[in-house]
Amino acid sequence: MSTTDPADVLGGLVNFRDLGGLPMRGGTFTAPGVLYRSDAPHVGDRAPQDAPEWPPAAVVDLRDEVELDGAPHPMADVAEVHQVPLLEDVRPGDSDRPDDHELTVLYQGIVDHAAKKLVEVFRIVLNAGGPVLIHCAAGKDRTGVSAALLLSLVEVRRDAVVADYVRTDGNMFRVLQRLQVLSPELPPGVDVDSVRELMSTPAEAIERVLGRFAAHPGGAADWLRGHGVTDEELQRWRERFAS
């Protein structure tokens, strides 16, 4: 039976990807080296092998203050770091479906209650002078909703947005090792079933987010316009991210 070298698991980002190269409606693709997503960086991480440019010009950290525990961001010396605690004002989203997955409800709550924070993320990414890395802890939920918005604004195909979100599922074992949830055994009081539920990537959860954006006549762009984003800003993002 093969084993994994801990240095390979813990020596770099394990849920990293460049969001360039995704198919947009009309047959074109998102530009590489503009927007990255990942799990939380650690001190001493190696540069991702598939990053066109590293380090990024800016980092958007979506974690709450309690998660940071007062520690400086590991990339503060090499990038402009922005703390945007996305869940700070979030309450459970509205749902008329009693069988909704817990993450579906959470994501609806982000759309309903964290619009100002999502606008802030958009503007940081838009105005950065180079590539931007967006991350939370696992790079799955908060990062997933933020990425879905930014991809939808340039009309990345819906199936491609969902596929990018679900891609995290294959990285979760190593993410949990990085978070020390599986190293080497669950901490006292942590229930394995609850961990498995929250660490899943149900396609329905992100599809419902995309559905919320699509319910607006102009899609995600109209959703952002309703929260103060201008046509000029939206056009600049299309010009930057649509290759």
Side-chain angles (χ1 to χ4, degrees):
M1 185 173 78
S2 64
T3 58
T4 302
D5 184 345
D8 291 335
V9 171
L10 301 176
L13 299 168
V14 296
N15 195 24
F16 173 88
R17 48 199 176 271
D18 178 5
L19 294 179
L22 296 180
M24 300 182 296
R25 283 190 287 177
T28 54
F29 298 86
T30 52
V34 173
L35 182 62
Y36 305 148
R37 63 176 291 179
S38 77
D39 51 311
H42 289 193
V43 174
D45 277 349
R46 296 187 298 266
Q49 293 184 350
D50 51 350
E53 182 180 336
W54 196 261
V59 175
V60 182
D61 185 348
L62 302 173
R63 295 174 295 175
D64 294 338
E65 289 295 330
V66 67
E67 296 174 84
L68 304 178
D69 198 28
H73 193 281
M75 299 186 69
D77 291 337
V78 296
E80 184 176 356
V81 175
H82 302 264
Q83 303 288 350
V84 184
L86 194 62
L87 296 182
E88 187 175 55
D89 303 316
V90 168
R91 302 294 180 268
D94 296 328
S95 176
D96 56 4
R97 307 182 191 181
D99 58 344
D100 270 349
H101 191 285
E102 185 173 351
L103 291 178
T104 300
V105 178
L106 173 65
Y107 296 1
Q108 297 300 298
I110 293 174
V111 174
D112 289 341
H113 302 292
K116 289 183 179 180
K117 297 284 176 61
L118 289 172
V119 169
E120 184 178 357
V121 171
F122 167 74
R123 285 179 167 148
I124 292 168
V125 173
L126 174 66
N127 294 311
V132 181
L133 171 68
I134 297 178
H135 76 83
C136 47
K140 180 172 73 74
D141 303 318
R142 291 164 284 189
T143 302
V145 173
S146 300
L149 172 63
L150 294 165
L151 295 172
S152 296
L153 291 173
V154 295
E155 298 188 324
V156 170
R157 288 192 342 230
R158 185 167 179 151
D159 63 312
V161 177
V162 174
D164 173 70
Y165 169 77
V166 174
R167 181 176 167 184
T168 289
D169 191 63
N171 300 327
M172 283 311 299
F173 181 79
R174 291 185 299 163
V175 168
L176 291 173
Q177 287 182 307
R178 291 257 293 180
L179 294 173
Q180 297 185 337
V181 174
L182 295 180
S183 176
E185 59 186 25
L186 288 174
V190 176
D191 177 69
V192 66
D193 289 331
S194 65
V195 169
R196 186 180 296 114
E197 176 81 1
L198 288 173
M199 290 302 171
S200 63
T201 53
E204 173 210 339
I206 207 68
E207 285 172 346
R208 292 277 292 278
V209 169
L210 297 175
R212 291 289 292 275
F213 296 147
H216 293 260
D222 263 4
W223 185 86
L224 274 183
R225 286 187 189 99
H227 296 285
V229 170
T230 67
D231 287 337
E232 184 271 337
E233 289 175 309
L234 292 167
Q235 182 59 32
R236 281 200 290 129
W237 177 236
R238 294 186 191 103
E239 291 172 354
R240 183 175 175 206
F241 196 34
S243 59

